[in-house]
């Protein structure tokens, strides 16, 4: 197959007089003979001329010589294609589907579509158009982002482009996209979501407590209609997205990551739509673009999503459907596997540290001097006036180690009595425990760790404390047994989020029970801990009264014959018994220091 050629001419200047031809080509024709192999090929094919004559590569040039190189347009096309990471995945007359790598722009794709076909014809020795006279870029149908690995539909005319866009807008073209998302994606939630439900959920969040969210976390479905209009998308686009969770893993930096595959219809720019959708669902795709969120240790541009398939009608064979597929890119999988590995390494390091701490954990000393708290002052070891647990961030309790921060009460050995009392009440497999004022979660989680098959819910009014409890839930692999919720003593029994996990067999609670008067004399013992977890109104009995009232508003929160076990302070038993006088007291327990520490009541029939 022959092609016309383009000639490039250069006049030898004074600085190159006496230089050999091959060296001159290297220096002055590097824009057209990019690699050495191209220069050698041009010399062998006699496409290099000096003053109109072919000559040897060792020819010595003189001032004013005219050096001409005939360039084969096909070779130029090959060279440019070589620099583009593109692959043809489907071809029919007038239409191709190309797989482009991140960094390749749409103009490059539109140029490459006919170029690949020209090269293919040349390689198969078939006759074809002269690339010098008939080579024109084609038209991309779907819009894709430069930083995204994409399948791009490209056609050879504006009419075909309009026809294919009409198919997309009619829902006849489906784009399949895999992505790595923040969070442990709830399959049921994405299955049941609709545009209307997402708008309602966003409205509730914005109008309830927007200050607890960062700017990036605030859902903005209230701008949804403007976004649709700007991007020329139909209002139903979110209602036709299907998301399937392939797998999920733990991440040491963001908690969870999920690998998903989303199917998008009615969208020319389908990756943009999926990115916005997952953001609104609360599982943003990993990336640096709008409506995505980066990983702290992965700051590459673009998003960790990639096209893995297109289902579309054929333009050449009306009535037939075409399926084009691509593999999940190794980079996306490698980030998933890396985060899994880092998490496992971090967990192993924590286990090693816990074993060291457990091996040196102190035992209770019954002879220690008591405080007004009813517990020995030595229970809270101070370092330069600061509790050692807050410095190390850990505290040993019930044979386990828990994360603690100044947002949580430091677990005391005496509270282990409450754990033992609750375990003694469990009389069936799969028992359900409700922990009121969970704090670090140490009470609930110690029960669950010592009672395989039990499940529990921990509630707390403090979001900061719940954050610490979440760390402990992950630390002890209790994600499948333990649920953490924001809630209060006053309303837990009528809280729908709590009720849906009941009815409960046992309620456990170590409420705040220090009166404001007693707190004044205990400043050195409790000054570093959150007062919300320690001090209560009504002489220290407010929490017990609120819990009793809440239980009375919905007795069905407990299973018939269920129990409520409370930790109490020194000398508080008479008043707590009075508050729960309509319940049957079934047990009382002393702690290791011989103080009455726990009262157990049974729900009235």
């Amino acid at each position: 197959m022959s092609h016309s050629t383009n000639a490039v001419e250069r006049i030898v200047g004074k600085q190159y007089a006496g230089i050999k031809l091959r060296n001159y080509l290297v220096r002055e024709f590097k824009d057209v003979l990019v690699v050495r192999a191209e220069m050698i090929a041009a010399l062998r094919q006699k496409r290099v001329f000096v003053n109109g004559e072919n000559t040897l590569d060792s020819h010595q040039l003189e001032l004013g010589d005219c050096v001409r190189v005939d360039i084969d347009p096909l070779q130029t096309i090959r060279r440019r294609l070589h620099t583009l990471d593109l692959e043809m995945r489907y071809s029919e007359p007038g239409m191709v589907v190309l797989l482009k790598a991140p960094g390749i722009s749409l103009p490059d794709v539109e140029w490459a579509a006919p170029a690949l076909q020209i090269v293919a014809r040349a390689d198969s020795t078939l006759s074809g158009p002269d690339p010098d006279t008939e080579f024109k870029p084609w038209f991309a149908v779907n819009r894709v982002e430069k930083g995204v690995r994409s399948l791009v539909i490209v056609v050879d005319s504006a009419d075909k482009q309009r026809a294919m866009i009409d198919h997309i807008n009619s829902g006849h073209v489906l784009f399949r996209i895999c992505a790595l998302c923040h969070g442990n994606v709830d399959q049921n939630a994405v299955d049941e979501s609709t545009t209307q439900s997402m708008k309602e959920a966003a409205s509730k969040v914005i109008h309830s407590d927007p200050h607890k969210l960062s700017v990036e976390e605030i859902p903005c479905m209230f701008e949804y209609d403007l976004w649709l209009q700007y991007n020329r998308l139909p209002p139903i686009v979110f209602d036709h997205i299907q998301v399937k969770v392939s797998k999920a893993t733990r991440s040491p930096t963001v908690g969870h990551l999920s690998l998903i595959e989303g199917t998008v219809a009615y969208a020319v720019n389908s990756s943009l739509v999926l990115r916005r959708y997952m953001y609104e669902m609360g599982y943003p795709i990993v990336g640096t673009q709008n409506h995505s969120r980066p990983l702290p240790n992965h700051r590459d541009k673009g998003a960790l999503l990639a096209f893995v398939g297109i289902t579309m009608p054929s333009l050449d064979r009306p009535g037939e459907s075409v399926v084009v597929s691509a593999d999940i890119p190794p980079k996306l999988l490698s980030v998933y596997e890396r985060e899994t590995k880092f998490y496992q390494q971090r967990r192993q390091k924590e286990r090693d540290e816990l074993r060291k701490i457990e091996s040196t954990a102190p035992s209770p000393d019954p002879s220690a001097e008591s405080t007004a708290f009813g517990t020995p002052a030595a229970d809270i070891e101070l370092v330069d006036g600061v509790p050692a647990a807050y410095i190390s961030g850990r505290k040993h309790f019930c044979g386990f180690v828990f994360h603690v921060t100044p947002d949580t009460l430091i677990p005391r050995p005496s509270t282990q009595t409450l754990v033992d009392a609750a375990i003694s009440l469990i009389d069936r497999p799969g028992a359900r425990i409700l922990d009121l004022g969970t704090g670090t979660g140490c009470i609930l989680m110690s029960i669950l760790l010592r009672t395989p098959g039990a499940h529990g819910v921990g509630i707390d009014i403090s979001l900061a404390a719940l954050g610490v409890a979440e760390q402990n839930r992950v630390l002890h692999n209790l994600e499948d047994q333990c649920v953490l919720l924001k809630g209060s003593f006053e309303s837990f029994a009528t809280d729908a989020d709590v009720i849906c996990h009941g009815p409960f067999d046992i309620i456990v609670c170590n409420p705040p029970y220090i009166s404001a008067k007693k707190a004044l004399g205990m400043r050195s013992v409790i000054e570093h801990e959150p007062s919300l977890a320690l001090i209560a109104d009504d002489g220290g009995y407010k929490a017990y009264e609120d819990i009793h009232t809440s239980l009375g508003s919905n007795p069905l929160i407990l299973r018939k014959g269920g129990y409520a076990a409370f930790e109490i302070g020194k000398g508080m038993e008479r008043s707590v018994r009075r508050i729960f006088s309509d319940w049957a007291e079934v047990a009382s327990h002393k702690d290791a220091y011989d103080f009455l520490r726990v009262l157990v009541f049974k729900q009235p029939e």
Side-chain angles (χ1 to χ4, degrees), residues 81 84 86 88 91 94-98 106-119 121 135-140 152-156:
L81 285 174
L84 300 177
L86 290 163
M88 187 178 295
S91 176
M95 181 170 72
V96 297
V97 176
L98 299 182
L106 268 186
D108 286 334
V109 174
E110 292 173 325
W111 174 88
L116 286 167
Q117 297 206 338
I118 287 170
V119 171
R121 292 191 188 101
F135 181 29
K136 294 180 181 178
W138 286 15
F139 301 84
V152 188
I153 305 169
V154 195
V155 293
D156 65 357

Side-chain angles (χ1 to χ4, degrees), residues 393-412:
R394 291 181 172 87
K395 181 66 176 177
H396 189 275
F397 180 79
C398 273
F400 308 102
V401 174
F402 293 89
H403 293 292
V404 295
T405 75
D407 294 308
T408 62
L409 191 67
I410 298 172
R412 269 81 168 168

Side-chain angles (χ1 to χ4, degrees), residues 531-563:
S531 59
L532 186 66
L534 291 170
I535 303 172
D537 293 335
D538 296 341
Y541 297 100
K542 179 69 161 58
Y544 300 100
E545 293 169 348
D546 288 341
I547 293 169
H548 179 265
T549 301
S550 188
L551 286 169
S553 67
N554 180 24
L556 297 179
I557 193 73
L558 273 174
R559 185 170 60 92
K560 186 176 181 181
Y563 300 95

Side-chain angles (χ1 to χ4, degrees), residues 6 9 541:
N6 297 319
E9 292 184 345
Y541 297 100

